[in-house]
């Protein structure tokens, strides 16, 4: 087995480089072993990352036990919750590319032989997976695990409870003292926010892809099981190196389809429609919106987790986790893809057990006959738009109403909280796409305000931005082409009637075609909002949300 690290340390020419490694405390014996990167996103800013230092130590111990030399480095990590509702959210999605690029740079410059990638939260996991696909050395992903749910008055709480409390106070449904109780109780410790939001969705899909060990996705951050699995991951990556199993052997088209099917079955975040295509792009695999919609139409939703349902990630863990979901799906999942266990999916599923049929229902008795995400098209979204089907009340599957148009999320939130949005309205938030934002902000503050004000069953919201995995209600995002590219969403005016039919997958601006063409011909796009720094560069090189907001 030829090791890349020998390019660094072998022969007389490697003498000065060996000297530098010895300054780190490495012995001759350490230098002779394979170099295994521990790529960690630990920081003291993000709750999902607070415990990752311990997981890094456990993974390193596993690497040493298997005969490798672990060397740890860090990547950045942005907390979407802390970035919500202000300009900081513009930096969240763009950070995915920085994470991927920084991981690539470290792995390639130092010629690592293999890597354990440790991450939690929304953009960090997909960013790392993009890099693992790009560099294509033996690799294993270790996701940090969910936060435990909070509790108050007999109900489970999570960060969405806090966001929605803001609107509830404004609507007079909750006192400020009660809101403070929610604030103090909803996030009880480390881990990615409890609930099937983007972070936990991506952890589940990473396991479904075969890039993390069975059971990793739902093992909670505070559970000792997570430390044991970290050590096991360190050992297993050395085995992958020995067997020369690379990410490209694992992340095949069939594996990506498994991830999408699991996404639909559990009712995951719409952000996966950005992340899976970006990861697959690194491997030359095209995942179009049509693939998501096709698989959604034939996959029943067999789990109903918060925010759209009542169950928590803890319930899913106790019911058997991702492997139990895949076992329940049966022939809907491909059984042949290889995984980081070194075994095929079918072999892994022999060990899977389903412990709670109320949490993981059989396909014959699903929560919904179709999957958790729907792709809409029409004259308002010629290239598509995305909605979390699983989180919508049946009464809002069809909606028609007048547009209330805003060019920034902050303006929309202010209007909602000041009761200037009426029942039946369709809130339109535009110039928030990948280019126009720039950065494609999540609209969690606006959707939480709608829910908190008691409007989630009477008001729809659509945007060329995106939504948090914690969003519930008829919230349609990724409208493409975006306003900054001259898409039809740029011509919508207050009072225009918009028709939404989620079951028929239609999104229409109810204007005559000549009127639409005339408005498009006259549309004037504003100057870029950001003219310097990373976001200015990002707005120039990022592609459409319909293709995963990939930078080219």
């Amino acid at each position: 087995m030829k090791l890349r690290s020998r390019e660094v340390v072998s022969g007389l020419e490697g003498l000065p480089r060996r000297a530098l490694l010895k300054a780190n405390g490495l012995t001759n014996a350490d230098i002779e072993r394979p170099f295994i990167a521990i790529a960690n996103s630990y920081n003291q800013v993000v709750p999902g990352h607070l415990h990752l230092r311990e997981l890094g130590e456990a993974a390193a111990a596993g690497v040493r036990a298997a005969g490798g030399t672990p060397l740890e480095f860090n990547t950045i990590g942005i907390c979407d919750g802390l970035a919500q509702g202000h300009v900081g959210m513009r930096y969240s999605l763009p950070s995915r590319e920085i994470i991927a690029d920084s991981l690539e740079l470290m792995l390639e410059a130092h010629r690592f032989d293999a890597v354990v990638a440790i991450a939690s939260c929304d953009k960090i996991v997909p960013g790392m997976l993009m890099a693992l696909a790009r560099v294509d050395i033996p690799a294993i992903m270790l996701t940090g695990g969910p936060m435990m749910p909070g509790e108050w008055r007999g109900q489970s709480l999570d960060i969405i409870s806090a966001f929605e409390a803001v609107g509830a106070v404004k609507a007079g449904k909750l006192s400020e003292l009660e809101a403070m109780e929610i604030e103090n109780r909803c996030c009880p410790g480390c881990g990615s926010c409890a609930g099937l939001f983007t972070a936990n969705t991506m952890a589940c899909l990473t396991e479904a892809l075969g890039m993390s060990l069975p059971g990793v996705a739902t093992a909670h951050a505070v559970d000792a099981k997570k430390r044991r699995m970290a050590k096991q991951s360190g050992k297993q990556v050395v085995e992958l190196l020995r067997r020369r199993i690379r990410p490209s052997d694992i992340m095949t088209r069939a594996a990506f389809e498994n991830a999408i099917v699991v996404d639909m079955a559990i009712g995951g975040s719409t952000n996966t429609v950005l992340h899976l295509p970006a990861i697959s792009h690194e491997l030359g695999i095209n995942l179009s919106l049509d693939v998501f919609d096709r698989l959604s139409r034939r996959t029943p939703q067999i789990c109903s987790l918060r925010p759209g349902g009542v169950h928590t990630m803890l319930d899913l863990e106790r019911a058997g986790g991702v492997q139990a979901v895949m076992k329940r799906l049966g022939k809907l999942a491909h059984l042949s893809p290889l995984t980081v266990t070194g075994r095929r999916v079918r072999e892994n599923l022999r060990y899977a057990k389903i412990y709670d049929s109320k949490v993981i229902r059989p396909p014959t008795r699903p929560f919904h006959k179709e999957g958790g995400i729907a792709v809409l098209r029409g004259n308002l979204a010629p290239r598509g738009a995305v909605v979390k089907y699983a989180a919508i009340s049946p009464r809002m599957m069809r909606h028609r109403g007048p547009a209330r148009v805003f060019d920034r999320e902050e303006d929309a939130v202010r209007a909602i909280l000041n009761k200037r949005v009426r029942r039946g309205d369709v809130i339109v938030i535009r110039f928030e796409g990948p280019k126009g934002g720039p950065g494609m902000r999540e609209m969690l503050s606006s959707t939480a305000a709608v829910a908190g004000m008691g409007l989630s069953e009477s008001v729809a919201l659509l945007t060329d931005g995106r939504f948090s995995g914690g969003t519930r209600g008829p919230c349609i995002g990724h409208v493409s082409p975006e306003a900054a590219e001259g898409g039809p969403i740029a011509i919508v005016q207050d009072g225009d009637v918009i028709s939404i039919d989620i079951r028929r997958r239609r999104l229409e601006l109810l204007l005559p075609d000549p009127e639409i063409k005339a408005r498009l011909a006259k549309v004037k796009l504003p100057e870029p909002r950001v003219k310097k720094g990373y976001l200015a560069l990002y707005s120039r090189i990022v592609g459409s949300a319909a293709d995963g907001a990939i930078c080219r």
Side-chain angles (χ1 to χ4, degrees), residues 411-478:
D411 296 338
V413 172
R414 196 156 34 247
I416 295 163
L417 295 179
N418 289 332
K419 301 182 181 180
R420 296 202 305 270
V421 171
R422 301 179 182 87
R423 294 181 182 277
D425 284 350
V426 178
I427 302 167
V428 177
I429 307 176
R430 61 191 180 190
F431 295 105
E432 291 284 12
K435 288 183 180 294
M440 201 180 185
R441 290 196 290 177
E442 287 183 346
M443 304 287 116
L444 178 56
S445 291
S446 54
T447 60
V450 167
M453 296 290 285
L455 297 171
S456 58
E457 294 204 3
S458 61
V459 167
L461 194 157
L462 65 93
T463 179
D464 53 6
R466 59 194 178 92
F467 291 112
S468 162
T471 292
R472 60 189 177 97
C475 302
I476 300 163
H478 307 211

Side-chain angles (χ1 to χ4, degrees), residues 216-238:
V216 162
T218 55
H220 278 50
V222 297
D223 193 336
K225 175 182 176 182
K226 183 64 78 175
R227 278 78 178 159
R228 295 194 299 271
M229 300 202 84
K231 187 176 288 187
Q232 189 179 350
S233 296
K235 290 181 179 179
Q236 185 60 22
V237 82
V238 178

